[in-house]
Amino acid sequence: MAMKRGLTRLLFAKLLDSWNQNIVFRLGAGIVLAVVLSTGVYTTYVMHTLSAEANARLQDRVERQAQVLSQALAQPLFDINSAAVSSVVGALGATPEVMWLRVLSPEGDVLASMTGVPRDPSSAIRVARTITFNDGTRTYQVGSIELAFSRQPIDQDLRRQTVRTVTANLLLTLAIVVCVFLVGRRMTQPFVDIQVALDKLARGETDIALSGIGRRDQIGRLSSAVRSFRDTLNRLRRAEQVTTGLLREKSVIEQQLRELNEDLEMRIAARTAELTDSIRIARDTQEKLQAIVETALDAVVRMDGNGRIVGWNTQAEKTFGFTREEALGRSLDECIIPERYREAHRAGVRRYREGKGGGVLDTRIEIYALRRDGTEFPIELAITRVQLADKEEYEFCSFIRDISERREREQSLLAANVRAEAANVAKSEFLANMSHEIRTPMSAIIGMAYLALRTDLNPKQHDYVSKIHRAALSLLGIINDILDFSKIEAGKLDVEEIPFTLDEVLSNVASVTGQKAAEKQLGYLVNVPRSVPRELVGDPLRLGQVLINLVNNAVKFTPSGEIELSCTPMPTAVSGRVRLRFAVRDTGIGMSAQQQSKLFRAFSQANGSTTREYGGTGLGLSISQQLVGLMGGRIAVESSPGRGSTFRFDLEFALSGRPERVAEAPAAPAALPGVGQARVLLVEDNLVNQQIAAELMTAQGIVVDIAATGQQALDRLALAGPDGYNLVLMDLEMPQLDGHAATIELRKDARFNKLPVIAMTAHALAEIRERCLREGMQDYITKPVEPEKLYHTLARWLGHALPQPQAALPTPGPAPLPGLVGLDTAFGLRNVAGNEPLYLQLLERFCATQGTAGADIRADFEAGRPDLAGRRAHTLRGVAGNIGARELQTLAQAVEEGMALETADKSILARGVAALESAVADLVRNIERYFDSEAKSAAPVPEALEGAAHALAHLARLLEEFSGDATDYFDSVRTCLARVLDAATMTSLEAYLSGYEFEEARQLLTQHGVKFTAPHDA
């Protein structure tokens, strides 16, 4: 016990000592005491408040329970229904807080009672309530209830909350004590560090550690001051050491300076000698370079950045006639550049100064120059830039060669070539023109010999005349070959494109060649599968001529065995066309590789012995090869000596559209009435596509209205109503509101649910088609629109069988564009059902509307507008496909797809855009060159000019009346007006009329001298 009291006193003394010496201890103890007092007061207040709230809630609950029981027991008590009363009382027995319940009659008798779990009666809350019943007329007192609820659950809950609150406060106090302990240690440690550091500094030691460094309070500032004191001591010590070292090094440096000075003097002397030698060498090099320039055979002219001549060698004096003194300092363009090139020269210099580059730098060009006497002569010019010593100064050095003699030699050679070609053409034309003169006597010889053979002749005479007849026939074959060859050379043999039946051609070949094969007892096979189409478009005469020639050759060079003529289909990617392979196989003498190499040369055969043994001129295969080439193919041969030969070639034909001949042709369906009354709304923003679709449908008697945007289409449909149109042709890519959005808006109006909407677009993807069907469209047509597919689709949705379009009658005017690079005119004409005038209008409109499409796409791409560039490429793709510009269509499709990719390679896409721009420019240039040549070759006759003037006057009257017929009338007389109005005026006039800007169109015609009856206000 004494030990315990001793420990207590020791602990109390220690705490008292800490209280006196440690301010942190006093601060922590005060905080703990304050927290204990505040939490005790707060806990007492909270428990009192919770107890009051629990009592109030229990009292309220008892009152509500009594109210509910009174209402539930009123009716049973009034009816004296003891069972119902017992049922209600029994139901309340499930409530655990109920201590007891009694139902009393008005006289105070107990009607029903219930006693719950026994609990302390002092903790109960009692309620008594009178029960009344109102039958609608008066209120009756039917009894009363006495109810007691136990407080025990509430008291238990309060005790649990008190324990939790006290526990939380104890934990909070403990946490505060721990925090005060930690904070106290952190606060006292920097002071201990400072004390230790000062003791070390007093002893001369500088390796101190201060934990208060970096703090912003007084401790941090005090620690920083101690560290600064330490640093000051260190600097003083180092300064003392440095001063001592400097004094030692001073003498060393002075000695080194004396040595360096002597070395520098020696180096300066050596460098001076080197510079003297370099100057002498540079002077010698300059003189040599000047001598080389002066003796050069080309004129060397130097020009400064301002365009003035600063160099002029001896050859320049001889070439241009100016001395060096006369040329130096003069402006180059006024001295040796002809006047017609001077403005271009100045513009090029300006572009170079603006940093846009020079078109003639570092390259060789041929151009004309000007001598002193004013004569012009051709030169070869090369210009390079010479950078001077000053980085901002430069000169241009020109190397000029007089090529007058070379030009004269080239002109002489060209003239000789022209004369030789003219002589060759004259020879071929002579032979071609001799056809009639040669054939006429030959026909007489053959015909008279044939008639003579039918008369009574003696055997000798019959033998003579028969030989004359056979020789004449052989000679006629040779003459035909020679004339065909000469026609091909003269370019006068044309290949036709007409419908024909393949079986008729092959039958004729077999009948012509079969007799010779039968005479030699050769097997003759003709193999044509059923899958080969028979109704084709091409040149049946030339095809038969080639096959007859090949079969006759096979018969000639086959002593025994068989010959086979076959025709098989080959795969092709072009719809509406078929590719056929024709082959002639024999079991004859065959040929070696050397013989095959000269097989198709004119006037030659495999070898000389062949010519003597089998006869012939050697023209047949040469002519056949050229004829097949004109039809778009090439003859190939497979052969080996003694094993026969096979000649084959592939040709592509269009399908004529005529029904294939079978044993019994089914009757064609009769056209349904009412086609001419069908009305179609064409929704298309491109003028070329508008014209194609409208012309194709108008040719079938369909009434066509045009809307340029989706919004215009919706407005027209709303105005016309659900019965206004029979069908809508909807382009998908349009400005403002495209075809997708327009269709979705249209389908929101239930009145148009039965109106067919057919999509038209250059996209041929399955997902696009599925999207169109999901959005409410009924069908899908890809661009370029093929007339057959368009008519078939219209017939399916209009319910009328449209007749096949009639072939256009031949009309005078420009021929198609054969051989034009980048344009398949046959495909383009097929897209307009063979309407050649319409096709030519489309080409003109393409130049007017798409001429700048390539440049516009490039500008959008470089400006970072890929969406707009993609839409332009999509439009160009559709228009190019319509006119048959297949290469341009492919390039536009590639650019369109590239613009849609987020991760596209910019460099590859830039090359594609450049290629597309170049292709557009080339095609427009070729089309314009074609129309220019047609215009020059067909000068307007007075009658045509009179018709154009009449059409112009009638158009002027329609514009004066602001008549809507002016647009249709302009389209009908476009070709006529083109004879008196230039292309730019036609383009502007078309744009004004398309936008119904009649006043602007009238003013445009006024500027071209067209007179109107009365002026109009703008």
Side-chain angles (χ1 to χ4, degrees):
M1 188 69 179
M3 182 180 294
K4 186 175 182 180
R5 285 197 299 270
L7 290 174
T8 302
R9 284 195 299 270
L10 180 61
L11 179 61
F12 179 75
K14 200 168 185 179
L15 289 175
L16 184 61
D17 184 56
S18 297
W19 179 272
N20 293 326
Q21 296 183 7
N22 196 334
I23 187 173
V24 176
F25 179 76
R26 293 199 298 271
L27 180 61
I31 293 174
V32 171
L33 183 60
V35 169
V36 170
L37 292 176
S38 60
T39 52
V41 172
Y42 174 73
T43 301
T44 303
Y45 170 74
V46 169
M47 296 308 300
H48 178 73
T49 303
L50 291 176
S51 177
E53 290 178 353
N55 290 332
R57 287 196 300 271
L58 183 60
Q59 184 68 36
D60 182 61
R61 181 179 178 186
V62 172
E63 292 291 342
R64 288 198 308 271
Q65 189 69 46
Q67 179 67 27
V68 171
L69 285 173
S70 299
Q71 294 175 357
L73 293 171
Q75 182 69 42
L77 289 175
F78 180 76
D79 296 336
I80 313 179
N81 188 346
S82 299
V85 172
S86 298
S87 176
V88 172
V89 173
L92 189 60
T95 305
E97 292 89 351
V98 177
M99 293 180 65
W100 49 264
L101 169 64
R102 292 191 301 173
V103 181
L104 306 176
S105 65
E107 293 78 15
D109 298 329
V110 178
L111 300 178
S113 65
M114 185 277 297
T115 301
V117 179
R119 290 185 176 92
D120 184 9
S122 62
S123 63
I125 298 177
R126 297 179 178 84
V127 175
R129 185 178 297 274
T130 301
I131 301 175
T132 60
F133 177 78
N134 191 319
D135 61 355
T137 57
R138 56 176 294 189
T139 301
Y140 302 93
Q141 181 178 350
V142 295
S144 61
I145 62 173
E146 293 180 354
L147 178 65
F149 267 62
S150 174
R151 289 178 47 87
Q152 187 175 357
I154 295 176
D155 293 339
Q156 292 176 353
D157 184 56
L158 287 175
R159 283 193 295 273
R160 285 194 297 270
Q161 292 186 15
T162 300
V163 171
R164 286 197 295 269
T165 303
V166 172
T167 303
N169 289 334
L170 290 176
L171 292 175
L172 176 62
T173 302
L174 180 60
I176 292 174
V177 171
V178 172
C179 291
V180 169
F181 174 75
L182 295 176
V183 171
R185 289 198 61 182
R186 181 170 177 78
M187 289 177 63
T188 57
Q189 185 62 41
F191 290 106
V192 174
D193 293 343
I194 292 173
Q195 182 180 357
V196 173
L198 291 175
D199 293 339
K200 285 185 176 182
L201 291 175
R203 294 194 301 269
E205 300 176 5
T206 58
D207 55 336
I208 62 176
L210 300 172
S211 60
I213 296 298
R215 297 177 55 164
R216 296 184 178 181
D217 53 7
Q218 292 83 351
I219 296 174
R221 291 194 290 273
L222 181 59
S223 300
S224 298
V226 173
R227 186 178 62 179
S228 298
F229 178 67
R230 187 274 313 269
D231 295 340
T232 302
L233 289 177
N234 288 335
R235 285 195 294 271
L236 288 174
R237 291 177 182 175
R238 285 196 298 271
E240 182 180 359
Q241 295 172 357
V242 169
T243 302
T244 305
L246 290 175
L247 291 175
R248 285 196 303 267
E249 293 177 358
K250 178 180 180 182
S251 59
V252 177
I253 293 173
E254 289 176 350
Q255 179 63 30
Q256 291 177 347
L257 286 175
R258 285 192 296 269
E259 294 175 356
L260 288 174
N261 189 32
E262 294 174 358
D263 183 67
L264 181 60
E265 290 176 353
M266 295 176 61
R267 289 174 179 267
I268 290 174
R271 184 59 179 166
T272 302
E274 291 178 0
L275 289 176
T276 303
D277 293 340
S278 298
I279 292 173
R280 180 178 54 79
I281 294 172
R283 187 184 302 113
D284 294 342
T285 303
Q286 181 67 24
E287 292 175 356
K288 291 179 182 178
L289 289 176
Q290 185 63 32
I292 293 173
V293 170
E294 289 298 324
T295 58
L297 297 180
D298 290 344
V300 180
V301 180
R302 290 185 292 116
M303 180 187 74
D304 63 12
N306 296 320
R308 298 195 175 277
I309 298 173
V310 295
W312 190 267
N313 72 342
T314 302
Q315 187 62 36
E317 293 180 342
K318 297 177 182 179
T319 301
F320 296 101
F322 292 98
T323 64
R324 181 181 287 104
E325 291 74 15
E326 291 173 334
L328 293 178
R330 295 186 60 178
S331 177
L332 183 69
D333 58 349
E334 296 178 356
C335 186
I336 65 174
I337 297 178
E339 185 175 357
R340 66 178 185 273
Y341 297 139
R342 290 174 183 173
E343 184 58 36
H345 167 73
R346 298 187 187 106
V349 173
R350 285 195 300 271
R351 286 196 304 272
Y352 187 82
R353 289 174 179 171
E354 294 171 358
K356 299 180 180 178
V360 298
L361 283 180
D362 302 321
T363 184
R364 291 184 181 273
I365 64 172
E366 293 186 2
I367 198 172
Y368 281 85
L370 187 68
R371 288 194 176 95
R372 181 173 184 174
D373 58 6
T375 59
E376 296 184 6
F377 65 102
I379 64 170
E380 184 180 79
L381 172 66
I383 303 177
T384 60
R385 168 175 166 156
V386 179
Q387 189 69 45
L388 302 181
D390 188 349
K391 293 184 178 180
E392 296 182 357
E393 295 294 331
Y394 58 88
E395 291 180 355
F396 297 104
C397 185
S398 305
F399 300 90
I400 303 170
R401 178 176 298 175
D402 187 349
I403 58 173
S404 301
E405 294 182 359
R406 191 178 77 186
R407 281 286 180 90
E408 291 177 0
R409 291 194 299 270
E410 290 175 352
Q411 293 296 331
S412 300
L413 182 61
L414 181 61
N417 288 337
V418 170
R419 288 192 298 271
E421 291 178 1
N424 187 47
V425 171
K427 176 204 69 175
S428 299
E429 288 182 348
F430 170 77
L431 290 175
N433 292 331
M434 288 296 294
S435 173
H436 177 72
E437 286 74 8
I438 295 176
R439 290 175 187 272
T440 299
M442 285 304 303
S443 298
I445 293 172
I446 294 172
M448 292 301 176
Y450 174 75
L451 293 176
L453 289 173
R454 299 184 63 182
T455 62
D456 294 330
L457 300 174
N458 60 43
K460 198 167 198 176
Q461 291 172 335
H462 191 277
D463 179 58
Y464 290 159
V465 176
S466 297
K467 291 179 179 178
I468 291 173
H469 187 257
R470 287 195 299 272
L473 290 175
S474 176
L475 179 60
L476 181 61
I478 295 173
I479 291 172
N480 286 338
D481 287 345
I482 295 174
L483 292 176
D484 281 344
F485 183 78
S486 64
K487 283 183 179 180
I488 293 174
E489 278 194 336
K492 290 190 174 182
L493 194 147
D494 297 324
V495 176
E496 294 182 324
E497 288 288 330
I498 60 174
F500 72 94
T501 302
L502 180 62
D503 288 342
E504 294 178 356
V505 175
L506 298 180
S507 176
N508 180 62
V509 172
S511 64
V512 172
T513 59
Q515 181 62 31
K516 294 182 180 180
E519 291 175 356
K520 298 183 70 172
Q521 297 182 352
L522 300 176
Y524 197 149
L525 306 177
V526 178
N527 181 16
V528 183
R530 292 182 178 272
S531 58
V532 175
R534 264 55 173 186
E535 303 298 330
L536 309 174
V537 176
D539 193 331
L541 177 63
R542 298 304 176 187
L543 175 61
Q545 182 179 349
V546 171
L547 293 176
I548 289 172
N549 201 333
L550 294 179
V551 173
N552 280 336
N553 269 352
V555 172
K556 181 191 300 185
F557 296 105
T558 304
S560 62
E562 66 179 16
I563 297 167
E564 181 185 19
L565 169 62
S566 63
C567 175
T568 55
M570 302 296 292
T572 179
V574 182
S575 177
R577 301 184 68 85
V578 63
R579 190 172 186 84
L580 301 179
R581 169 166 292 180
F582 296 90
V584 176
R585 179 184 60 83
D586 64 61
T587 59
I589 61 175
M591 292 173 288
S592 65
Q594 182 180 2
Q595 292 171 335
Q596 295 176 38
S597 64
K598 56 181 181 179
L599 188 61
F600 296 103
R601 298 177 186 174
F603 304 103
S604 68
Q605 288 185 329
N607 55 47
S609 63
T610 303
T611 304
R612 290 190 297 272
E613 181 179 355
Y614 295 100
T617 62
L619 281 177
L621 288 178
S622 176
I623 293 173
S624 298
Q625 183 71 282
Q626 297 188 60
L627 288 176
V628 172
L630 290 175
M631 291 186 287
R634 181 173 181 79
I635 300 177
V637 60
E638 294 179 359
S639 181
S640 58
R643 296 189 177 184
S645 305
T646 300
F647 290 80
R648 67 172 184 273
F649 58 91
D650 297 348
L651 293 179
E652 191 171 278
F653 300 94
L655 299 177
S656 67
R658 296 186 301 189
E660 297 289 334
R661 297 184 180 182
V662 293
E664 182 179 354
L672 297 177
V675 173
Q677 296 162 7
R679 189 177 180 191
V680 173
L681 177 61
L682 173 62
V683 189
E684 170 65 62
D685 63 314
N686 184 268
L687 297 178
V688 175
N689 295 336
Q690 286 180 3
Q691 188 171 2
I692 291 175
E695 292 280 354
L696 291 176
M697 289 187 287
T698 303
Q700 297 295 334
I702 298 175
V703 179
V704 182
D705 290 341
I706 298 176
T709 65
Q711 188 58 52
Q712 290 183 13
L714 294 177
D715 295 341
R716 281 182 174 270
L717 290 169
L719 184 63
D723 298 326
Y725 293 97
N726 302 97
L727 184 140
V728 177
L729 282 176
M730 182 74 72
D731 182 29
L732 298 184
E733 301 286 342
M734 291 182 293
Q736 298 179 8
L737 192 68
D738 62 15
H740 296 290
T743 303
I744 292 173
E745 289 296 322
L746 179 65
R747 292 310 183 201
K748 292 179 180 179
D749 191 341
R751 298 179 301 159
F752 296 96
N753 285 347
K754 296 183 179 180
L755 178 64
V757 178
I758 311 300
M760 287 199 316
T761 182
H763 290 297
L765 303 177
E767 54 265 29
I768 299 296
R769 179 185 180 90
E770 294 173 0
R771 177 184 175 186
C772 293
L773 297 179
R774 287 197 307 268
E775 292 170 346
M777 302 184 193
Q778 277 67 44
D779 214 330
Y780 188 94
I781 299 175
T782 57
K783 298 179 184 177
V785 177
E786 297 183 11
E788 295 82 2
K789 289 185 178 180
L790 175 64
Y791 293 148
H792 180 72
T793 304
L794 292 176
R796 181 164 63 250
W797 293 103
L798 292 176
H800 311 303
L802 301 180
Q804 292 295 325
Q806 299 295 324
L809 295 176
T811 57
L817 310 177
L820 185 61
V821 177
L823 196 63
D824 185 351
T825 56
F827 183 78
L829 285 169
R830 187 161 61 90
N831 290 336
V832 294
N835 190 336
E836 184 177 324
L838 172 59
Y839 182 64
L840 295 177
Q841 290 182 20
L842 295 179
L843 295 183
E844 289 181 341
R845 183 164 288 182
F846 174 84
C847 294
T849 61
Q850 301 296 323
T852 62
D856 294 339
I857 291 171
R858 178 177 55 79
D860 291 333
F861 172 69
E862 293 176 350
R865 299 187 293 267
D867 293 341
L868 183 56
R871 288 197 295 271
R872 291 186 190 276
H874 177 83
T875 301
L876 177 61
R877 169 188 171 188
V879 176
N882 283 329
I883 64 174
R886 294 174 179 269
E887 180 181 357
L888 182 59
Q889 181 185 13
T890 302
L891 289 173
Q893 180 178 358
V895 171
E896 177 191 0
E897 294 173 352
M899 293 297 177
L901 296 176
E902 296 182 357
T903 59
D905 190 325
K906 298 297 183 182
S907 60
I908 297 177
L909 191 55
R911 291 196 294 271
V913 170
L916 179 62
E917 181 181 11
S918 176
V920 172
D922 291 343
L923 182 57
V924 171
R925 191 181 307 111
N926 290 336
I927 293 175
E928 291 177 345
R929 187 183 301 120
Y930 167 77
F931 283 117
D932 290 342
S933 63
E934 289 295 322
K936 293 177 182 177
S937 62
V941 297
E943 293 80 0
L945 293 177
E946 182 178 356
H950 175 74
L952 199 58
H954 185 64
L955 179 61
R957 286 194 298 273
L958 293 176
L959 291 176
E960 279 188 309
E961 299 169 358
F962 288 90
S963 173
D965 296 334
T967 302
D968 296 334
Y969 182 75
F970 172 76
D971 290 336
S972 66
V973 298
R974 178 197 302 271
T975 305
C976 184
L977 293 180
R979 297 190 177 98
V980 295
L981 298 177
D982 56 26
T985 303
M986 290 290 291
T987 301
S988 300
L989 187 59
E990 178 183 10
Y992 288 144
L993 292 176
S994 297
Y996 294 95
E997 299 174 353
F998 293 154
E999 182 60 24
E1000 289 76 2
R1002 190 184 66 81
Q1003 293 177 2
L1004 179 63
L1005 292 181
T1006 303
Q1007 296 173 4
H1008 286 75
V1010 180
K1011 296 182 179 180
F1012 292 80
T1013 57
H1016 288 268
D1017 295 331

